[in-house]
Amino acid sequence: MPIATLNTGISIEGRKAVANGLSNVLADTFCLYEKTHGFHWNVTGPMFQTLHLMFMEQYTELWNSIDVIAERIRALGEYAPFGGDAMKRLTIISDSPLHPRAMEMVNELMKGHESVCRTVRVTLNLAEEAEDHPTIDLLTERLLAHEKTAWMLRSLLEEEDVEAVQ
């Protein structure tokens, strides 16, 4: 049976470049999801309830985005990576010490979201070069989500401005 040729107006080279970039975004997102979920399970201390719920919101958002990213890779005619080895090879998100303190978790997640932002921006440039508007839209949404989450996490790490309160 002949394989149907993919012809959506994006060159083969453009599709491959974008799909490779999306594979990095997928791996970063998946690894950040795993870290966030693990922190959700293991957070302790006075901010337990706040962070436990915040991390749940964050890992849920990450989980919901994983399928969308993988399906875009498939729509471009490439296979989406899966499995621990593939994800570790493609991600820039590092593993965490087994039991960091609560604010160390917040700091790690903030840095993780900022890292994903950088991966998204690289892939966004590839999508723009390929004139791949659906991927541009997807990556713009992802960038907004990661920047907002990084900002919220960063806000937890900032000291209160005592002069502004008085």
Side-chain angles (χ1 to χ4, degrees), residues 76-150:
L76 291 167
E78 299 295 323
Y79 287 100
F82 65 93
D85 290 341
M87 295 301 178
K88 283 189 182 283
R89 182 174 41 81
L90 294 169
T91 191
I92 58 172
I93 303 297
S94 61
D95 282 336
S96 175
L98 284 179
H99 302 289
R101 300 180 59 76
M103 287 300 113
E104 292 168 349
M105 290 176 177
V106 170
N107 190 48
E108 274 196 54
L109 293 178
M110 179 202 65
K111 289 179 179 179
H113 282 278
E114 289 177 345
S115 294
V116 179
C117 285
R118 292 189 297 274
T119 302
V120 167
R121 287 182 192 285
V122 169
T123 307
L124 191 53
N125 288 334
L126 296 169
E128 287 170 348
E129 288 174 19
E131 298 182 9
D132 179 356
H133 298 284
T135 300
I136 292 168
D137 288 348
L138 167 64
L139 292 173
T140 300
E141 288 179 20
R142 295 310 313 139
L143 190 56
L144 281 167
H146 288 290
E147 284 183 346
K148 181 177 181 179
T149 303

Side-chain angles (χ1 to χ4, degrees), residues 26-42 58-59 62-63 66 83-84 87-88 91 93-96 109:
L26 178 63
D28 285 355
T29 303
F30 191 81
C31 291
L32 188 57
Y33 157 78
E34 287 182 324
K35 182 180 278 195
T36 306
H37 208 149
F39 286 175
H40 164 80
W41 293 329
N42 292 300
Q58 291 172 3
Y59 78 67
L62 290 164
W63 177 257
I66 290 168
M87 295 301 178
K88 283 189 182 283
T91 191
I93 303 297
S94 61
D95 282 336
S96 175
L109 293 178

Side-chain angles (χ1 to χ4, degrees), residues 3-8 12 15-16 19 70-80:
I3 298 174
T5 303
L6 178 58
N7 183 9
T8 61
I12 293 170
R15 286 196 324 265
K16 285 188 179 298
E71 288 179 353
R72 184 65 196 151
I73 294 168
R74 293 297 295 136
L76 291 167
E78 299 295 323
Y79 287 100

